[in-house]
Amino acid sequence: MTIILFLIDTSASMNQRTFLGTTLLDITKGAVEHFMKFRSRDPASRGDRYMLLTFEEPPANVKSGWKESHATFMHELKNLQATGLTSMGTSLKHAFDLLNVNRMQSGVDTYGTGRCPFYMEPAVIICVTDGGRLSSTIGVQNELNLPMNNPVPGNELTREPFRWDQRLFGVVLRLPASPPLDFQMPTYIPSADDAAIDLMCEVTGGRSYSISSHRMLMQCLESLVQKVQPGVVINFEKIGPDPPPINNEVVENADANHLDVPNGSSLTVDGKERPLTPAPSSTSWHNCKKLIYVQRSAQKGYSVGHWPIPEGFWPDLNSPTLTPRTAHPSVKFSCTPCEPQVVENLPFDKYELEPSPLTQYILERRQPGVCWQVFITNSAKYSDIGHPFGYLKASTNLTCVNLFVMPYNYPVLLSLLEELFKVHKMKPPAKWRQQFENYLKTMPVYYAGPLRRALARMGAPNLVPENLESCLSYSVISYLKKLKNQAKIEYERLVASVGTRIPQNEGIKVTSKSQTSILQRKDFNQLMQHYGGDLSSLKEQLNEYNSFTLQVMDKDVKPQSYRNAFDIPRKNLLDQIARMRANFLQPSPSGTRLLDDDQMHSIPVQQMGDYHEYLRKAPQPLREIETQPVRLHMFGNPFKVNKNLMIDEADEAMVGQPAKHKRHSESPPGSPGPRKRKPGPLPKDFPIRRPGSPAFNMQTKSKENEDRPPDTESPVANHIEASHKLSNHVRAEMNEEPIENEIGKSGPENNNISVSPPVSIQNHKQIQVHNARLKHSVIKEVKRPGRNYEHLFSQLKNVQGSLDTKRLFIGEIIHEAARFKKRLLVDMLRQFEQSVIKLENKKQKVQIVNKPSPNR
């Protein structure tokens, strides 16, 4: 992800108009839009993050930060206004802080464990200004100074406010107010040398542009688009003597050395902009601060590397603090010719250098087989200059210069590895191990992890000891964790503060009236003394309300409190007179209105469609008393109804509980009729209702069926029908209605079921309690897996009551067995029910035969 931060000068001087009639701020807005259009042509722009900052005071300076969308960016860009000071130093510091606060919490900088070019957050800061004098609340400043008194957590670990992957580019608008008479387009875009931002741009590795025409502005934008490249800035410095001269040195592109172009100009080659520099002078290539390109992996989409650039100090486990580092590492290179060394399967990192006098000097020597070693001072324990960690080498086709990053002190390591693989055949002797241990002592500890992974890749995984892991003390590690947590809190605070405005004075301030006060009039004082009044007590009562403010209901409406009639604009005279008349004719002072209805609803046309701002200020609606169930599915048909309903015997559906039964085979999915669902188990918190007594229901139905023919439904059928309605109500108690002997009045012609003898109320209660307990235990036997039903049928023999009660009991058990799909048990229960009926009929016949006749 490449961060492109636009820092826009919103000082009052940006209201200057050019010869085209547009202000500098309008030109800046158009330039930002053109830059984004040019940048969108590059496929790598998909991961860009655009930010917009201004010269205002925080938090109003951040218009679009880490979390804002592209629409917010464009909306804030169009609404920029130039009303302020040219506080460039403070604004640049805030821009760097906004970028660095995320780096600290993500751990990109890897303090104390080397600098990894492949761990980066490349940022390009484009500052557009008019190049005017720097002004602040203190006064006019001659130099650009960045305040360091408000550091972000972790800023003390780097000496500069910026980082090595953050570059600043300044666009200084010098457009004339009158059309030029004879304007000639230069072949290059000059730098704004006299601007205060020019030096800051060079320090960060960028440059400045002095724009004097619209055509030059378009070229500048195209140049800036080419500058958006992922990479880090490194300061290369020469040590030791110059390289020996080459006798057959031939420069084919000598014509380029005589071009009259200054340093910093650019030339587009192969679709990429490369700075075009003249022939290097005797010392211009000795010290160069340039970018090295860190390309992203095509497969993974991010940068991949193996070896870090060493720190400028030797890591010490006993050190309680970390040594602050510079933003750009100072890499020393020696001009002593060396041969590039490579071992098979040993990884290395290759970075291309940005064109500079150094790269031009190396390419002009035309020695692709010669390399110059690079060092970091104080990186070794016993050497000031340190050991080489890589080398500079021209490409084979002499088009660019590459920086090869290798393991630390790679000449010693490569010779040891070559000896291990070619001579010892992966069986190192004791002498080789001693030499390898001596090498590890000269290597910084933070190289142990990359070296262990590289050797495992080569097939030698156990050469580096496991104890070479931590190179930082416990206090340093805890301090870095603390900074990370503080940076996370600061990041959340900055993100939350975006879009908030500075609270302004709400209401109308009461101004002092000491000059026209009644207490200062001489006639009033004489009158009070004549009547013997106490003037001191009166002064205490008549206070001056200098510190009071009259509150206004609508905060967006700015009240007009004129003290002088001549201050009222001509266009507001009629409205002001109407307001004064309305307030003067009020019957009571409590009805005074500072704002009339017309002014409260007076909104500019461009703000009439801004409903988001109105909704943001509107109070939050109250929640619903009964919340609607949330849709469990978010895909497919939006009108689909949740069919995961669990239906019990009383046809009551409980929403939100998935049914665990399968679809009936009798009702296919495409059948038009309603699909019957198999009843499921009831939850524990289901409210149990007390159903009516079956005997009572039988009594009422028997009375209705007195006049029906004998082939109508029998009371037994009514009981069976009622059994389906009363299933699953295991613990429901029957009504305490007495069972009367009106269940049936016919003898053998009515299914041979005779009338049971009357049962007392006390015996009926005992039978109900007994059958309810028995039913509970029988249902447990039904639910138990297996096919051993001996205990179940032995319990069914203990059912008490009349034949109808027994049939009702057995019918409920059959229904429960069918619910668990135990078909064999259902058949056995039906056979048991028939046997019970036959047995009861035999008993009834015996009783009828043995009953004495009433005529005897």
Side-chain angles (χ1 to χ4, degrees), residues 109-114 311 313 315 322-323 325 446 471-472 476 480:
D109 291 318
T110 62
Y111 288 104
T113 57
E311 297 279 359
F313 57 89
L322 275 177
T323 304
R325 62 164 63 159
Y446 47 80
C471 60
L472 302 176
V476 172
L480 291 177

Side-chain angles (χ1 to χ4, degrees), residues 559-718:
Q560 299 174 356
S561 55
Y562 298 110
R563 297 300 306 277
N564 192 345
F566 296 98
D567 295 339
I568 304 174
R570 183 180 182 87
K571 61 181 181 180
N572 297 339
L573 277 175
L574 295 179
D575 294 339
Q576 191 69 22
I577 291 175
R579 189 180 299 110
M580 292 170 62
R581 183 186 299 112
N583 292 332
F584 181 73
L585 298 178
Q586 287 291 340
S588 62
S590 60
T592 303
R593 302 173 61 186
L594 301 175
L595 301 171
D596 53 5
D597 296 336
D598 294 339
Q599 186 178 2
M600 293 180 63
H601 298 282
S602 178
I603 303 175
V605 177
Q606 61 182 355
Q607 298 179 6
M608 287 184 178
D610 192 2
Y611 298 104
H612 298 282
E613 189 71 17
Y614 175 78
L615 294 176
R616 186 178 63 85
K617 296 179 181 179
Q620 293 293 334
L622 299 177
R623 65 176 179 84
E624 297 292 338
I625 298 178
E626 296 181 359
T627 58
Q628 297 292 333
V630 183
R631 281 187 179 273
L632 300 180
H633 55 85
M634 293 299 175
F635 301 97
N637 186 6
F639 302 100
K640 182 180 179 182
V641 182
N642 187 8
K643 296 182 179 180
N644 292 331
L645 305 178
M646 187 176 66
I647 305 174
D648 63 354
E649 292 76 13
D651 295 333
E652 293 181 2
M654 301 184 63
V655 183
Q657 299 185 4
K660 298 181 180 179
H661 53 269
K662 297 181 180 179
R663 180 183 296 170
H664 291 283
S665 59
E666 294 81 10
S667 58
S671 59
R675 202 168 44 170
K676 295 183 179 179
R677 294 187 175 274
K678 199 164 185 66
L682 291 177
K684 295 181 179 180
D685 55 349
F686 183 79
I688 296 182
R689 301 176 181 177
R690 299 179 62 184
S693 174
F696 181 75
N697 297 335
M698 289 287 298
Q699 176 183 355
T700 56
K701 291 196 175 185
S702 62
K703 291 181 179 180
E704 295 175 359
N705 299 332
E706 285 178 355
D707 301 331
R708 292 185 181 181
D711 57 346
T712 57
E713 293 182 357
S714 63
V716 177
N718 293 335

Side-chain angles (χ1 to χ4, degrees), residues 803-849:
L803 178 61
D804 297 332
T805 304
K806 292 181 180 180
R807 292 189 64 180
L808 177 62
F809 187 95
I810 298 173
E812 292 177 356
I813 303 303
I814 291 175
H815 181 76
E816 191 70 18
R819 195 166 68 89
F820 286 92
K821 297 184 179 181
K822 294 191 175 184
R823 299 178 181 177
L824 179 62
L825 179 59
V826 170
D827 297 339
M828 296 173 66
L829 288 172
R830 288 175 178 171
Q831 294 177 5
F832 180 78
E833 182 182 9
Q834 295 298 328
S835 64
V836 170
I837 294 174
K838 291 179 181 179
L839 182 61
E840 289 294 330
N841 290 337
K842 288 181 180 180
K843 290 182 180 180
Q844 294 294 336
K845 289 180 180 180
V846 171
Q847 290 180 2
I848 293 173
V849 171

Side-chain angles (χ1 to χ4, degrees), residues 314-328:
W314 181 260
D316 188 7
L317 284 174
N318 299 323
S319 178
T321 58
L322 275 177
T323 304
R325 62 164 63 159
T326 57
H328 302 146

